[in-house]
Amino acid sequence: MKLVAAAKVRRAQEAVVNGRPFSETLVEVLYNINEQLQTEDIDVPLTKIRPVKKVALVVVSGDRGLCGPFNNAIIKKAEQRIAELKDLGLEYTVISVGKKGNSYFIRRPFIPVDKFLDGSSLPTAKEAQAIADDTFSLFVSEDVDKVELLYTKFVSLVKSEPVIHTLLPLSPRGEICDVNGNCVDAAEDELFRLTTKEGKLTVERDVVRTQTQEFSPILQFEQDPVQILDALLPLYLNSQILRALQESLASELAARMSAMSNATDNAIELRKTLSIMYNRERQAKITGEILEIVAGADALV
């Protein structure tokens, strides 16, 4: 299971890296359009900041167990955020993504949940769009004033951390920011490949940085910038959610690989310990029988 998870981690990370050039180029387009609109009085719903009375929390968990503290960590992060919102006197609702999170919130009916969504072994744009449509309708209809995305950010093979970033209202520049406004975009990715070493399969790491072409400063838009912004913001909302699903999946697979590795190491250590105990008992029994034979022989002399 360790090697299977390692191969899946590789594919999950490749999906994140392959999608980053599109995401970063879209960020540059959003930024340049926003610069042109600074002097105009426009109303873009997804970037509209209003007093926060109710917050929607999109909690992304896993569908399976045997992955160490992965699911518990993101659920604990959600509990902490819910407690913070209660202390601030704000209302909240939860959109749960993933079977483990669904089962957790179903057992706690006192937590308001807007929708339960199942995850998948391979996140797709269609799955991300379903979440984006729900959050979009909640925000535009002013049922909620803020949408936060809680997922597990992939850092390395042995480290991942639950993070919270503001999904709506969107940052004018399109960056992925946390609740304090700090950018949480990843600068580098760590990829893995399976190789053989001394006749055994091992996992090696590669650190890569995705290069994207710079946005041309002389590019001009023929359409109305407001129309372009209205078309690009939902697209970027979808890309953010898809990226979060991919990061969460990579973190889950890495956690499962680490858990299976620890289980294998523990089983090997247990086998060694039990073998030593067995050999000691066996040797003690043989020694005792030899002493009885020798004692019996001495008695006959």
Side-chain angles (χ1 to χ4, degrees), residues 19-246:
R20 179 160 288 131
F22 168 79
S23 179
E24 293 186 353
T25 303
L26 188 57
V27 168
E28 294 295 330
V29 174
L30 289 174
Y31 175 69
N32 280 269
I33 296 176
N34 184 66
E35 289 292 317
Q36 296 184 21
L37 297 177
Q38 291 299 319
T39 58
E40 301 182 21
D41 185 16
I42 63 170
D43 183 19
V44 181
L46 294 183
T47 61
K48 186 178 181 180
I49 300 176
R50 53 181 180 260
V52 178
K53 298 179 182 178
K54 188 174 182 179
V55 179
L57 303 176
V58 182
V59 182
V60 182
S61 62
D63 285 341
R64 299 169 57 194
L66 298 177
C67 51
F70 170 78
N71 290 306
N72 289 335
I74 190 64
I75 290 175
K76 185 176 180 181
K77 191 74 171 180
E79 289 179 338
Q80 293 176 351
R81 186 55 180 163
I82 289 173
E84 291 174 359
L85 294 176
K86 287 182 178 179
D87 293 339
L88 294 173
L90 300 177
E91 298 181 18
Y92 65 91
T93 186
V94 174
I95 299 174
S96 178
V97 182
K99 293 181 181 178
K100 289 297 182 180
N102 292 350
S103 62
Y104 174 82
F105 290 113
I106 288 174
R107 294 195 302 268
R108 290 162 177 80
F110 56 87
I111 298 178
V113 179
D114 180 74
K115 184 173 289 187
F116 295 99
L117 298 172
D118 289 336
S120 66
S121 58
L122 182 63
T124 61
K126 183 178 180 180
E127 180 183 348
Q129 189 61 49
I131 303 172
D133 290 341
D134 193 38
T135 56
F136 179 84
S137 62
L138 287 174
F139 185 77
V140 173
S141 63
E142 298 188 5
D143 289 339
V144 299
D145 304 301
K146 188 179 183 182
V147 180
E148 296 178 354
L149 183 60
L150 290 77
Y151 68 99
T152 306
K153 180 178 176 59
F154 182 84
V155 179
S156 68
L157 185 62
V158 295
K159 181 181 179 183
S160 58
E161 52 189 26
V163 297
I164 306 174
H165 82 71
T166 301
L167 192 60
L168 291 173
L170 289 175
S171 168
R173 183 164 181 171
E175 293 176 336
I176 298 180
C177 301
D178 60 16
V179 291
N180 298 318
N182 300 318
C183 180
V184 295
D185 277 328
E188 294 181 343
D189 290 287
E190 194 173 33
L191 297 180
F192 313 99
R193 65 175 184 271
L194 293 176
T195 61
T196 56
K197 184 177 181 181
E198 297 179 356
K200 296 182 179 180
L201 287 173
T202 60
V203 180
E204 293 187 357
R205 310 183 195 185
D206 290 328
V207 178
V208 298
R209 184 179 181 88
T210 306
Q211 300 294 333
T212 57
Q213 295 182 355
E214 295 184 0
F215 194 88
S216 175
I218 62 174
L219 182 62
Q220 296 181 353
F221 300 98
E222 294 182 358
Q223 296 86 355
D224 183 4
V226 177
Q227 295 179 354
I228 300 175
L229 200 60
D230 286 339
L232 291 183
L233 286 178
L235 180 61
Y236 189 71
L237 177 63
N238 182 293
S239 69
Q240 285 192 67
I241 295 175
L242 178 59
R243 179 174 168 182
L245 295 176
Q246 291 170 336

Side-chain angles (χ1 to χ4, degrees), residues 4-5 48 126 151 274 279 288 294 299:
V4 171
K48 186 178 181 180
K126 183 178 180 180
Y151 68 99
L274 293 178
N279 290 331
V294 171

